[in-house]
Amino acid sequence: MAVSAVGDKPYTVAYNGSGSKPSEDDAGDVFGREDHHDIKYKKLSWPLVAILMIAEIVSNGMLSLPSSLAVVGMVPGLVIIVFLGVFATYTSWLLVKFKLRHPEEHTMGDAGYILFGPIGREVMAFGTCCFAIFACGGQLLAGQISLAALSDNKLCLMLYTGIFAIPTLLCSLPRTFHGLSWISVASVLSIFIAGILGMAAAGISPDPTRSVDVTVASDFYTAFVSITNPVFAYAGHFMFFVLMSEMKEPKHAMRAAYTLQSFATVFYAIFAGVTYGYVGSHVASPSFSSLPPYWQKVSYGIALPNILLAGSLYAHTASKLVFVRIFRHSKHLHSHTFLGWGVWVALVFLTNGLAFLLAVGVPIFNYLIGISASLFAAWFTYGIAGMFWLHDSYHDGPGFFAWRRQWAQAALAIATILSGAFSCVAGLYVTIRGIVDAYASGQIPSPFTC
């Protein structure tokens, strides 16, 4: 037996060594039995979870991948994209197994408590909120770029961000992910169709002066700056636990993860390779900006629903973490109470408001997204998964002897941790150096300017 705790109440979870989860009737289940509740959270099927994951991860981040290929070359770039997709599938499997063993955990913060105690809970909960809010701000900026392209930059950029922030906030308001799930179908279709059209437009009007290289020699700083794009294009694992907590059958979560990673890896590789092949080494980031004006508008316009919902999912996740933390053991979690809805709406306004203020008020906000991704997403997507396996295998068996008995899996878990550490440190290095270089060259604008 092992004791873990979330919030102020401890839960006892039995380890059976098989990777199966305890009964959903167990008191540790984050939402418990919902038969007679007004608000039911556990309504998601695995296909809907897969669609929500795709809507969140396969978003505007993919538009930076062709520029990564331009820096490192076609072959290394595609190898990195495919490798990271396979690696993200493996870490997804570790996260899902950990959640099934610990149904009481709702977020990475709860997982942090299981691994490291109260300090781990606060650090990882903060990291989840921080990255979610910064990611929401990143989607607002993507919406700004899209609206500016559609209207030929007729308004102040800050106004475009504010216009896009309003529907993002409204889509964040449903209390459950199920309330967002069907909207996400349109979101996935929009980014898929936009990607297809973007590739077709690049093929119709290829750059006649383009250069496409199989490999490109570059220094570590330049290469890793480009590699961070595919590294963080898969950075959606911090939402796995939250989504699994709202599934009708969490045991089917890997079906959703396999669907997500298969779609993302294949689509990323095809989109990056085709776009780079037709546009060449001068491809912009986001890559739609390299298309002819007409096709640029069409592609951005079709992609807007995806950018919108992805931002809403990030804001919803940050709000949900705090809301469940406050009301986990009260009637306000499952009932239509004035206090419950008041706090929920306030949290949604707060998270979206912070994302907007950061996006328009911090001149180095794009770099701060990189810092938050390096500090938190690198661990949530890659490194922390290895710690989950080491923790549970240690408690399942005779401590360190369990690692020795499963030495290959233990070595892979340690390698996963080291990869997360490398991504974190290297990502911080290139981002901070980028900030220094940008200030030195006068590229940083003033806050709240067009």
Side-chain angles (χ1 to χ4, degrees):
M1 303 290 285
V3 176
S4 60
V6 180
D8 299 323
K9 295 188 178 182
Y11 300 103
T12 302
V13 180
Y15 297 107
N16 55 22
S18 65
S20 62
K21 75 181 184 69
S23 167
E24 290 190 8
D25 293 336
D26 187 274
D29 180 21
V30 60
F31 292 118
R33 296 186 63 86
E34 297 186 316
D35 298 345
H36 304 293
H37 288 149
D38 298 332
I39 301 173
K40 296 178 175 62
Y41 294 90
K42 296 187 291 187
K43 297 175 66 177
L44 292 175
S45 63
W46 74 261
L48 285 178
V49 172
I51 288 177
L52 282 164
M53 288 178 172
I54 292 171
E56 177 240 337
I57 292 178
V58 185
S59 187
N60 70 302
M62 80 171 193
L63 302 182
S64 64
L65 297 180
S67 64
S68 296
L69 268 61
V71 174
V72 299
M74 179 73 81
V75 173
L78 292 178
V79 169
I80 290 169
I81 289 172
V82 173
F83 169 77
L84 289 173
V86 174
F87 190 25
T89 304
Y90 169 68
T91 56
S92 299
W93 178 75
L94 294 178
L95 265 65
V96 168
K97 289 294 183 183
F98 190 76
K99 168 63 177 174
L100 294 178
R101 291 169 182 263
H102 304 275
E104 78 277 13
E105 71 166 337
H106 177 241
T107 65
M108 280 289 179
D110 297 338
Y113 187 94
I114 294 171
L115 293 182
F116 308 115
I119 294 178
R121 175 176 58 196
E122 303 307 330
V123 170
M124 292 179 66
F126 171 79
T128 301
C129 283
C130 180
F131 180 70
I133 291 172
F134 275 74
C136 178
Q139 296 299 120
L140 294 182
L141 289 183
Q144 172 205 92
I145 294 171
S146 300
L147 292 177
L150 288 169
S151 62
D152 297 319
N153 292 288
K154 292 180 179 178
L155 298 177
C156 170
L157 292 178
M158 188 170 66
L159 289 178
Y160 287 124
T161 311
I163 292 170
F164 196 74
I166 295 172
T168 300
L169 184 151
L170 294 176
C171 287
S172 310
L173 284 171
R175 285 268 287 269
T176 69
F177 279 109
H178 190 266
L180 292 170
S181 59
W182 294 107
I183 307 174
S184 67
V185 175
S187 170
V188 172
L189 286 174
S190 76
I191 195 62
F192 179 71
I193 295 172
I196 297 296
L197 280 175
M199 289 187 286
I204 292 171
S205 305
D207 185 346
T209 64
R210 70 187 182 279
S211 62
V212 179
D213 300 300
V214 175
T215 60
V216 177
S218 60
D219 57 70
F220 170 81
Y221 171 73
T222 304
F224 198 82
V225 166
S226 68
I227 292 172
T228 55
N229 292 328
V231 166
F232 297 130
Y234 291 100
H237 287 43
F238 76 104
M239 285 182 60
F240 275 26
F241 295 152
V242 186
L243 288 168
M244 283 184 67
S245 296
E246 298 192 25
M247 289 184 70
K248 291 182 288 188
E249 297 184 272
K251 64 183 179 181
H252 294 154
M254 270 315 296
R255 298 179 185 179
Y258 285 137
T259 303
L260 160 69
Q261 302 301 352
S262 298
F263 177 85
T265 304
V266 172
F267 195 53
Y268 282 169
I270 293 174
F271 178 81
V274 171
T275 304
Y276 172 56
Y278 283 118
V279 179
S281 58
H282 297 296
V283 62
S285 178
S287 61
F288 285 166
S289 296
S290 296
L291 300 177
Y294 173 78
W295 290 109
Q296 186 179 140
K297 291 180 179 180
V298 171
S299 299
Y300 275 129
I302 294 175
L304 270 176
N306 173 265
I307 299 171
L308 171 64
L309 186 68
S312 299
L313 285 171
Y314 290 131
H316 181 99
T317 299
S319 303
K320 181 69 68 67
L321 183 153
V322 179
F323 185 79
V324 173
R325 181 78 177 268
I326 295 172
F327 293 123
R328 182 164 185 157
H329 304 295
S330 82
K331 65 179 182 180
H332 305 292
L333 183 65
H334 285 99
S335 301
H336 293 294
T337 64
F338 178 81
L339 179 60
W341 273 107
V343 171
W344 173 252
V345 171
L347 288 171
V348 170
F349 269 83
L350 177 63
T351 53
N352 281 277
L354 285 174
F356 171 75
L357 290 175
L358 288 167
V360 301
V362 180
I364 59 170
F365 180 67
N366 277 324
Y367 295 100
L368 293 184
I369 296 175
I371 290 176
S372 68
S374 300
L375 284 174
F376 304 117
W379 285 108
F380 293 161
T381 305
Y382 303 108
I384 198 74
M387 297 182 190
F388 292 158
W389 186 89
L390 292 175
H391 173 275
D392 278 353
S393 62
Y394 181 91
H395 288 284
D396 279 350
F400 293 105
F401 291 102
W403 299 349
R404 183 176 179 180
R405 185 169 57 244
Q406 303 178 70
W407 62 269
Q409 179 63 58
L412 192 55
I414 293 171
T416 299
I417 296 170
L418 293 176
S419 71
F422 173 77
S423 298
C424 174
V425 174
L428 285 173
Y429 166 73
V430 299
T431 305
I432 293 172
R433 179 173 165 179
I435 295 174
V436 173
D437 292 345
Y439 270 112
S441 60
Q443 298 177 5
I444 305 299
S446 300
F448 299 105
T449 56
C450 293

